[in-house]
Amino acid sequence: MLICLTVGGWLFLDPRFTLNDLGFRTPSASAFLLTSITMGAVASIPIAVVVARRRGSAIIATRPDRPLMLQSSEDLYAVLSLVVVSAVAEELFYRGFLTALLVGSFAVPTWMAVVVSSAAFGFAHAYQGLRGILRTGLIGFLLATVYLSSGNLFLPIALHLWLDLMALVVVPWLVSQSSRPAT
């Protein structure tokens, strides 16, 4: 909510700035292809998890004492809401607002704006520990690359949504299913 209010306030206070400056425009064909390939690669993660679990190896670190358990449809709706809101808000803030602010208002070179926004995105996930900071920082860099190559914020939003959906819903569900005793 705060992120949306910040960006909305900025748009309101600076009439020269438009949603087009944030990247809400039609993506190029090459950027759409890059995003599709990345989403396909991410979609293969659950398959790798199932194969690894069946072979008895752990491709991801799971915490059997604290798994993400979707016990009811309300749990699923809450997680899906989190996935959608975080994808939109974080991309709007880190890739759209922060990048445009650094490049447009502070004349920071684009590459430096990408590094700063990716690092900020990583540190915003400090609750995940050092590996989480590094992992999300690299994901932020990937999302920034998609954003800059396409000039469109919809593609990183879609990719972020897809990544979170895989990480928070699909993989935990597959892990929980493969951990159940056969009936």
Side-chain angles (χ1 to χ4, degrees):
M1 180 74 127
L2 183 58
I3 291 170
C4 291
L5 288 173
T6 302
V7 173
W10 186 37
L11 290 170
F12 178 75
L13 294 173
D14 188 355
R16 297 169 296 147
F17 196 77
T18 66
L19 287 176
N20 197 36
D21 294 326
L22 280 177
F24 289 106
R25 54 176 96 64
T26 306
S28 66
S30 61
F32 184 77
L33 180 62
L34 172 66
T35 303
S36 299
I37 290 169
T38 305
M39 289 174 81
V42 171
S44 68
I45 292 171
I47 296 167
V49 168
V50 170
V51 169
R53 299 282 293 182
R54 287 191 178 159
R55 291 184 179 166
S57 62
I59 175 173
I60 60 169
T62 56
R63 299 267 324 255
D65 58 325
R66 287 182 24 204
L68 175 63
M69 299 301 284
L70 302 176
Q71 300 290 336
S72 66
S73 59
E74 289 83 15
D75 293 343
L76 179 61
Y77 295 137
V79 170
L80 290 177
S81 298
L82 174 69
V83 165
V84 171
V85 169
S86 67
V88 172
E90 289 178 351
E91 292 312 304
L92 189 60
F93 182 75
Y94 291 104
R95 258 53 73 193
F97 173 72
L98 188 56
T99 304
L101 179 69
L102 292 171
V103 173
S105 298
F106 295 105
V108 171
T110 304
W111 69 268
M112 189 178 292
V114 167
V115 169
V116 170
S117 69
S118 299
F121 182 65
F123 282 112
H125 294 82
Y127 64 91
Q128 295 177 9
L130 181 59
R131 291 178 75 184
I133 292 170
L134 295 174
R135 182 177 32 248
T136 55
L138 287 172
I139 290 170
F141 185 80
L142 169 71
L143 294 169
T145 302
V146 168
Y147 171 55
L148 292 175
S149 69
S150 69
N152 183 293
L153 201 55
F154 289 119
L155 295 177
I157 288 172
L159 187 53
H160 191 149
L161 194 140
W162 189 254
L163 286 165
D164 285 354
L165 185 65
M166 291 292 137
L168 296 174
V169 177
V170 176
V171 170
W173 182 80
L174 287 172
V175 168
S176 72
Q177 294 301 304
S178 66
S179 301
R180 288 184 179 172
T183 55

